[in-house]
Amino acid sequence: MTDSLEEFHRELSRDVMMTADAGGGFKEEAFFEIVSGHLVAAGELETHERTHYVDRGLRIDGHGGHPRDADGVLSLIVQDFDQTGEVRTLTGTDLDVLLKRLTQFVQKSRDSAFRNGLEESSSGFEAAIHVDGCWELTRRVKLVVLSNRRLSVRIDGRQIASLEGKETVTTVWDLERLHRYVNSGREREDMVVDLVSDHG
């Protein structure tokens, strides 16, 4: 790999700051756009759309498109963005909290009273309508966690068997996994050989 985890963290933090400054937005939004873009390139998501909502134990940060375009998979995104400027740890407890907030949002989204209580112009309303509108075509729910912290535990024991009757899987893209993915791409670029000019 071309740099250490600490160097990668500093590089990612600079990219987030520059993207936020250029777009006049918040760092959390910039982090979502940068990391979600990597996930689309990696084939983890079909696309990405930010639909941020946080309230009383509920949270969602975005989704990965419609299940009809992803073989019946509804990808829902929750993120953990740490702004301290140093590499910190995402604990198992932290992960459990993130997943619980996301799953509770999904459950609430299936309730028309909850949807009707949201401001129609809000991204929370858009997210709830998306979840409920996609539900019949969904065969599997993918819970995607984005974090610029380093995951301290394996997630094997945190798999959620089902959610509202749908098969559910969890995938975590923490700092180390992002580091491995970005550096694997750099290594491939370094190995490109121009066979035409070298061998005629």
Side-chain angles (χ1 to χ4, degrees), residues 90-92 95-96 151-159 172:
L90 177 67
T91 67
L95 180 60
D96 288 342
L151 185 63
S152 65
V153 294
R154 296 183 58 164
I155 66 169
D156 298 351
R158 290 169 171 77
Q159 297 291 352
V172 180

Side-chain angles (χ1 to χ4, degrees), residues 35-98:
V35 178
S36 295
H38 286 314
L39 268 60
V40 171
E44 185 76 72
L45 299 173
E46 291 295 317
T47 184
H48 62 87
E49 183 170 342
R50 183 161 167 81
T51 49
H52 176 65
Y53 178 82
V54 179
D55 184 51
R56 291 173 296 188
L58 311 177
R59 178 163 188 151
I60 188 170
D61 287 283
H63 64 78
H66 201 287
R68 67 170 172 259
D69 303 317
D71 196 26
V73 178
L74 174 61
S75 297
L76 303 174
I77 305 167
V78 65
Q79 76 175 24
D80 163 72
F81 178 65
D82 180 77
Q83 300 196 41
T84 61
E86 59 187 46
V87 176
R88 300 185 69 187
T89 299
L90 177 67
T91 67
T93 300
D94 296 330
L95 180 60
D96 288 342
V97 169
L98 286 168

Side-chain angles (χ1 to χ4, degrees), residues 1-9 11 179 182-183 186:
M1 292 189 177
T2 58
D3 51 23
S4 69
L5 189 65
E6 289 73 18
E7 289 169 330
F8 175 73
H9 181 264
E11 180 181 318
H179 183 219
V182 170
N183 275 284
R186 289 172 179 165

Side-chain angles (χ1 to χ4, degrees), residues 175-193:
L175 187 66
E176 284 188 324
R177 188 172 182 184
L178 286 167
H179 183 219
R180 289 194 303 269
Y181 172 74
V182 170
N183 275 284
S184 69
R186 289 172 179 165
E187 288 171 0
R188 284 196 298 272
E189 289 173 5
D190 290 343
M191 293 175 65
V192 171
V193 178

Side-chain angles (χ1 to χ4, degrees), residues 6-27:
E6 289 73 18
E7 289 169 330
F8 175 73
H9 181 264
R10 287 193 291 270
E11 180 181 318
L12 177 61
S13 297
R14 284 194 299 270
D15 289 346
V16 166
M17 183 177 295
M18 291 173 61
T19 301
D21 288 346
F26 295 104
K27 290 181 181 179

